[in-house]
């Protein structure tokens, strides 16, 4: 009973329940949803693998978004930064049909990640130094970011024929698990290390709860804000490499489109409140997997892609309602009333 109470009060309850309901729906209405096969090349195949595979970029983005939201901010530019990172890498590798890259592969990867970090520095300057509201500050790059990606690619879709580039979003030969899932796992390990083995997690929560009190307590608020936005940019740069590798091309118009909304939804579904403060890494990961499961489920039952935002809007409405203080107070009052009725009986 104590374990049940602990679970029902846990931040993981909402994403776990949502994921369980989705899996139950798929078990009933989608044929062979849980079937996993091994392809001729040795790679794993099936909808569960596809969900984890496609959720990898979202998990990475959501991890960066978790730290940002925990400070009381938000980064709505990450989708555009994904496009910039993808454009940078594909531009450096080039579209030569011979498959010979114009620049060394590792240099292209580092350049793409550097673009993400530069975007994070830009956002950090606006939010931490100039004290511009995070929504407004990141809206600037969200608006301009795709234009920058278009300038880098000259408005063209650059197709990359260099084979190792496909390994980032696909499989390294001889490895059954998709590379994107491995990268996401390593990123989760990095975040858990920063959260559990350093004081960064405590400082992020402190800044999110009360930045003024944190400043007087000796926390370098500006440095913390800079760090979270730079990390968010780094995550977006990593996701850009994965997303462009999936299609082996840079599509400035569509790469990373609306991913910032999915990242925010993943974080909030995982129990982290938009007002900042305490955050939940496990909840964020479950939230991202749940969002991707929802997307896959909608496609499986024939819902058109254009209708997906409406479905996600309903999910957001439910989440913010459940997380609202008014709803929590109504729930507490209902529990007290039930307890009183039980006592009278």
């Amino acid at each position: 009973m104590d374990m049940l109470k602990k679970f029902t009060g846990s931040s993981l309850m909402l994403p776990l329940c949502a994921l369980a309901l989705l899996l139950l729906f798929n078990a009933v209405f989608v044929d062979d949803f849980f079937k996993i096969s091994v392809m001729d090349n040795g790679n794993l195949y099936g909808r569960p693998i596809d969900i984890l595979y496609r959720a990898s970029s979202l998990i990475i983005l959501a991890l960066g978004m978790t730290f940002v939201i925990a400070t009381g901010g938000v980064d709505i530019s990450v989708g555009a930064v994904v496009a910039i990172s993808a454009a940078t890498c594909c531009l450096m590798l080039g579209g030569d049909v011979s498959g010979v890259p114009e620049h060394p592969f590792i240099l292209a990867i580092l350049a793409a990640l550097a673009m993400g970090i530069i975007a994070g520095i830009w956002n950090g300057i606006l939010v931490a130094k100039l004290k511009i509201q995070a929504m407004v500050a990141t809206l600037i790059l969200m608006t301009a970011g795709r234009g920058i990606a278009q300038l880098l690619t000259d408005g063209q879709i650059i197709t990359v024929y260099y084979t190792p580039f496909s390994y980032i979003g696909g499989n390294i030969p001889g490895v059954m698990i998709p590379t994107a899932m491995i990268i996401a796992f390593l990123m989760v390990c990095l975040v858990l290390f920063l959260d559990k083995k350093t004081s960064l997690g405590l400082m992020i929560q402190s800044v999110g709860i009360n930045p003024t009190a944190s400043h007087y307590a000796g926390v370098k608020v500006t440095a913390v804000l800079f760090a979270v936005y730079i990390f968010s940019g780094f995550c977006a740069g990593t996701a850009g490499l994965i997303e462009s590798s999936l299609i082996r091309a840079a599509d400035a118009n569509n790469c990373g489109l609306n991913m910032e909304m999915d990242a925010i939804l993943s974080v909030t579904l995982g129990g982290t409140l938009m007002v900042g403060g305490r955050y939940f890494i496990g909840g964020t990961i479950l939230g991202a997997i749940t969002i991707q499961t929802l997307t896959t489920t909608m496609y499986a039952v024939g819902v058109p892609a254009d209708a997906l935002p409406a479905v996600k809007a309903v999910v957001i409405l439910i989440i913010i309602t459940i997380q609202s203080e008014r709803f929590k107070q109504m729930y507490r009052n209902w529990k007290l009333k039930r307890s009183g009725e039980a006592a009278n009986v």
Side-chain angles (χ1 to χ4, degrees), residues 65-94:
M65 189 70 73
T66 300
F67 283 161
V68 172
I69 290 178
T71 61
V74 68
D75 187 355
I76 59 174
S77 68
V78 291
V81 177
V82 167
I84 295 173
S85 169
T88 301
C89 184
C90 292
L91 179 66
M92 293 195 66
L93 292 177

Side-chain angles (χ1 to χ4, degrees), residues 53 99 104 186 201:
Y53 176 34
L186 294 176

Side-chain angles (χ1 to χ4, degrees), residues 21-31 33-34 293 297 300-301:
L21 287 173
L22 283 171
L23 293 178
L24 179 61
F25 176 88
N26 283 298
V28 175
F29 294 103
V30 180
D31 295 335
F33 184 84
F34 295 99
T293 304
T297 300
V301 298

